[in-house]
Amino acid sequence: MKKTSKQSVLLVAVLLCFGALSYVGARAFLWPQSEGAGVVAEVSLRENPSAHHSSPGSVGDYRIVRADPRYDQELRSATLAPQFDLLLERAKKDPAFAYSLAAVLKDCSSLGLEEVAYLEKADSTAEYGREFEVEQHALLGEKQKRCEGVSNSAELRHDLIDRAASSGVLEAQIAFRAIAADFIASEGAMKRKNAMEQYKAKTLKYAYEAARSGSPEALFNAYDVASSGLFAPRNDVLAYSYLYAYSDVRPSPRTSHLLVTESKRLSASELASAQDAAKKIFARPINQGARE
């Protein structure tokens, strides 16, 4: 590839990037799918409708809906345009399908950027060579065939994620945070203050609801939401509670260090309150080992 050609392609890629970032940022953001087929599982979890903005709630029943990896496989092996209206109707009836459709449409929106990345890597890295380039072109060809002719807007993808999240699809509830953050950072956010407040309120609702599942990703997402100050004023006690719960299900030296940092924001009574609240977030008891 000639240098001038590369520069032109890269310029187009930069311009495309701004549109691609309007959804979730990147497909890699989305948390891993659940184990096995996507299902609805009913478990005894901690729940309180008033807990979204203040603290983890009390005992109650809560239905966890997980994304179905079979939907993802089905959509990635299909040509979307001829059946797109039917897919949208199906998404209206099945929230887990809506989530998978949004993820596949996000992939379709990043075609230009991926092509540049593959070509540049194949061209500049001798160890990959021509065979790598041919392979990546084949993969891109499959994706182009799958995505060609699809009406694919950020608003549509946002609506699909919101629909799934409002119906309790765990992965969608976690993913909604990035959608809201992108909107809040956009130029039009200040002109649509009502919409911005709705995004903030939904982010809090979905994040804290998802955390009751006990999912490590959901717990850390709830910590991130509570501590960021982007969606509501920073809540130090609530942030520590979710981080404390996360450290129980996924302990690490980095998390322990972060806990120490967060604890310095709290008084002794606030720290005790936060640790007690963490034990009520989800059904499995938090380990009783000492934690400073």
Side-chain angles (χ1 to χ4, degrees):
M1 182 183 292
K2 294 182 180 179
K3 186 175 181 180
T4 55
S5 177
K6 284 185 180 179
Q7 291 174 338
S8 298
V9 174
L10 285 173
L11 178 60
V12 173
V14 170
L15 295 174
L16 287 172
C17 181
F18 290 99
L21 286 175
S22 63
Y23 175 51
V24 191
R27 178 67 178 94
F29 158 80
L30 299 176
W31 299 110
Q33 303 284 1
S34 58
E35 296 180 1
V39 293
V40 177
E42 187 165 340
V43 294
S44 177
L45 297 177
R46 314 289 173 172
E47 180 178 19
N48 184 339
S50 65
H52 296 311
H53 303 281
S54 56
S55 64
S58 56
V59 178
D61 289 331
Y62 173 55
R63 291 173 66 84
I64 304 171
V65 184
R66 300 302 302 262
D68 191 332
R70 294 175 301 183
Y71 289 159
D72 192 73
Q73 295 167 7
E74 173 189 343
L75 289 166
R76 292 180 190 280
S77 62
T79 301
L80 301 178
Q83 53 181 325
F84 198 59
D85 288 343
L86 293 176
L87 295 176
L88 291 177
E89 286 299 318
R90 186 173 169 188
K92 291 179 182 179
K93 301 174 183 178
D94 187 339
F97 187 81
Y99 171 79
S100 294
L101 181 57
V104 171
L105 290 176
K106 172 57 187 152
D107 278 351
C108 289
S109 73
S110 63
L111 269 171
L113 296 175
E114 289 186 349
E115 183 172 15
V116 170
Y118 288 144
L119 292 177
E120 288 295 302
K121 190 172 184 180
D123 188 55
S124 62
T125 309
E127 61 192 88
Y128 289 99
R130 178 65 179 169
E131 184 177 349
F132 176 86
E133 188 173 356
V134 170
E135 178 185 351
Q136 298 307 320
H137 268 296
L139 291 174
L140 284 166
E142 291 176 6
K143 180 182 280 192
Q144 288 170 338
K145 181 179 178 181
R146 177 169 67 246
C147 300
E148 185 177 7
V150 171
S151 175
N152 187 5
S153 66
E155 290 76 13
L156 172 60
R157 299 192 300 270
H158 294 182
D159 287 346
L160 289 168
I161 289 287
D162 190 13
R163 182 178 302 153
S166 66
S167 298
V169 177
L170 185 65
E171 291 83 354
Q173 291 180 329
I174 296 171
F176 193 85
R177 178 204 175 282
I179 291 175
D182 279 348
F183 178 81
I184 292 170
S186 69
E187 292 183 4
M190 294 307 297
K191 298 178 182 178
R192 301 174 58 193
K193 291 186 177 181
N194 288 339
M196 182 167 64
E197 292 306 315
Q198 289 177 5
Y199 269 106
K200 289 180 178 181
K202 286 182 177 182
T203 300
L204 296 171
K205 177 180 183 296
Y206 295 152
Y208 299 153
E209 184 174 294
R212 294 200 302 273
S213 70
S215 156
E217 291 83 4
L219 288 167
F220 192 84
N221 182 64
Y223 159 70
D224 196 28
V225 167
S227 64
S228 69
L230 181 62
F231 308 102
R234 194 186 202 280
N235 188 321
D236 293 337
V237 173
L238 192 59
Y240 186 91
S241 294
Y242 284 113
L243 185 61
Y244 187 93
Y246 171 78
S247 72
D248 181 70
V249 297
R250 187 167 288 176
S252 72
R254 180 178 178 276
T255 304
S256 297
H257 177 75
L258 190 55
L259 272 173
V260 171
T261 301
E262 289 289 346
S263 70
K264 294 177 180 178
R265 294 174 171 270
L266 306 175
S267 66
S269 61
E270 287 174 333
L271 184 62
S273 175
Q275 291 175 346
D276 183 64
K279 299 168 187 176
K280 300 175 182 177
I281 292 174
F282 59 99
R284 190 170 68 81
I286 297 290
N287 291 334
Q288 298 302 308
R291 224 189 236 110
E292 298 297 335

